[in-house]
Amino acid sequence: MPSPPSHRHAHRSLFKQRSFSPRSSSHAHKFFINFLIILTCVLLTLFHIQTLIKSSTSHPPWPPLIHNLIRDFELPQLTTDAADDVQFLPLKDRRLAKTAMEGNTWFMSSINDTKEKGEAEYLRFPSEETSAGRLLCVAWNGTINYYALAPAAALPRNAKLLAGLTFISDSYYSYDNLFHGLTAMSPFVAWHERMGFAVEPARWVLYQQGAVRSKLASPWVRSLMEATFGRAAINRIEQLDGEGPSCFKEAVVFRHNQGSMGKERKEKVYDLLRCKARAYCNLTIAEAPAKAVIRLTLLLRTGTRSFKDDAAVIKIFQKECGKVDGCKLKVALPNNLTFCDQVKLMSETDVLASPHGAQLTNMFFMDKNSSIMEFFPRGWRELAGVGQYVYRWVADWSRMRHHGAWYDPGHGERECPINATASSCFSFYKNSKLGHDEAFFSNWTARVLGEMRLYKLDLLSMKSTTNEDETQNCKCG
Ligand SMILES: *[C@@H]1O[C@H](CO)[C@@H](O)[C@H](O)[C@H]1NC(C)=O
Ligand SMILES: *[C@@H]1O[C@H](CO)[C@@H](O)[C@H](O)[C@H]1NC(C)=O
Ligand SMILES: *[C@@H]1O[C@H](CO)[C@@H](O)[C@H](O)[C@H]1NC(C)=O
Ligand SMILES: *[C@@H]1O[C@H](CO)[C@@H](O)[C@H](O)[C@H]1NC(C)=O
Ligand SMILES: *[C@@H]1O[C@H](CO)[C@@H](O)[C@H](O)[C@H]1NC(C)=O
Ligand SMILES: *[C@@H]1O[C@H](CO)[C@@H](O)[C@H](O)[C@H]1NC(C)=O
Ligand SMILES: *[C@@H]1O[C@H](CO)[C@@H](O)[C@H](O)[C@H]1NC(C)=O
């Protein structure tokens, strides 16, 4: 019966084939000994190569292959691609997260701002001051965005060279918020104006906290930029998700929003934006009326921060407007207004009354020296911090007159269940609906309309002598 031995033999050979199995300790021993022998041989060979190299040249102490592997390991992908002196650093320096917007900010933190009196801080590439004549390159490794400075003659391997002027922005906040979008874009408007509109940007690269933003999602912000730069110029927002680094022939970077932009520059920027927006929307300047006209607009909201009783509020404004010679009241809701509807409405408004909210960003489309009345729900005065003042700032920048605010005392409202002074209560109150105070609203409206009437009369008398309407006569550069 030959069958069983052959069977056993087959079994043994099968066992032999599995000799590397960790279950067999004696075989594992053998394997390790073999491995050690091979390793020793390799190390000896490497040592031999090293001595050979050392004796012939003064190269690094390790063979080039190993050296490259180590560099690969430490600095994935990017540095091996680069010319020797091009060093890629993370665009966002997380070590500075606590002081993200201070000094050089955490965006391109190794590069110092160029500061000019009255202007927003900027970086210009290439320039002697900012980059010692080198170009700015950016790259993405799939997770993190990097930047580097590279000589034009030694760009990183596989780098794309992007011709023309690139506008690069980093904002801490979302571009889709009207206020933050506006303040992030306005230094580019200022730059464009300062350069005499000579060079159109070939593209934009937008970052928010160091991460690429592929578009301006807000139709309002996009329309305003389209009005200022033209459709072609604003629609080229670079995605930068391709392989390999991108280098910019010329780039201007703003990373502080308006930063240290001075009062005069801001006024010019908002003058230009007003003018460009009106032209873009084909608004024709109406013939100046022979008598003082005061155009009062009540810009209501639906939903959050709307008045609980719109009708009652409208009635108060109607009554006060009725008492002033030449006053005309308009009531509008911003939600279904297009960008141009908003520009048109504002250019036909002298006194804007509206609850705190993004729709107030539109104020700079009014003629200069126009007036704003703002309404806040309960809790804002105590808990909102400086954020509550943003529309006072926009008024100041664009030379409007902010006539203060009404803070709903919220009598009889539900109290914040946590603690009325704790900041966590802010989110409890933030979007509450607004009540109204007839006596206060009447008195306040009467005062603002009265002042506007005097101003308009002044304007009329000045016009009759100069015969030139300076407020409406804008030059769009
Ligand atoms: C940036 O500014 C700091 C302080 O003003 C200075 O010490 C540093 O040398 C500057 N760096 C470069 C690259 O110019
Ligand atoms: C990109 O680099 C970072 C930091 O070195 C690393 O943590 C990450 O894994 C890298 N991503 C890829 C896809 O290589
Ligand atoms: C303004 O007028 C031009 C030329 O008539 C037209 O092409 C454009 O669509 C108009 N723009 C708006 C916003 O109505
Ligand atoms: C906007 O909405 C108001 C009220 O909700 C309505 O009266 C008005 O006709 C709307 N306008 C447009 C252009 O849809
Ligand atoms: C409310 O918060 C303030 C400051 O955070 C604290 O001083 C006060 O004791 C708190 N009051 C209550 C009733 O918790
Ligand atoms: C508004 O109220 C103040 C006092 O609070 C008063 O002096 C003033 O005359 C009032 N104005 C109007 C127009 O009623
Ligand atoms: C705005 O008002 C101030 C004084 O109140 C005046 O000097 C200035 O010329 C006015 N601006 C315009 C554009 O009318």
Side-chain angles (χ1 to χ4, degrees), residues 81 88 137-138 150 154-162 243-247:
D81 274 351
F88 278 90
C137 302
V138 295
L155 296 183
R157 192 143 55 84
N158 297 332
K160 259 187 308 197
L161 180 62
L162 300 172
E243 314 88 52
S246 302
C247 299

Side-chain angles (χ1 to χ4, degrees), residues 9-49:
H9 179 76
H11 195 92
R12 256 171 63 192
S13 63
L14 193 70
F15 188 66
K16 231 182 184 167
Q17 277 173 13
R18 288 218 228 122
S19 63
F20 289 151
S21 158
R23 268 182 286 164
S24 160
S25 63
S26 70
H27 281 93
H29 246 102
K30 249 185 209 159
F31 168 67
F32 277 121
I33 287 165
N34 282 342
F35 178 75
L36 277 179
I37 291 168
I38 292 167
L39 189 69
T40 314
C41 286
V42 167
L43 286 178
L44 280 174
T45 317
L46 288 180
F47 183 71
H48 187 66
I49 291 172

Side-chain angles (χ1 to χ4, degrees), residues 77-102:
Q77 231 163 329
L78 297 164
T79 17
T80 45
D81 274 351
D84 276 354
D85 53 349
V86 174
Q87 196 198 358
F88 278 90
L89 297 168
L91 257 182
K92 180 170 84 175
D93 188 342
R94 290 171 184 278
R95 296 169 305 175
L96 304 178
K98 287 215 173 88
T99 55
M101 294 311 291
E102 287 169 26

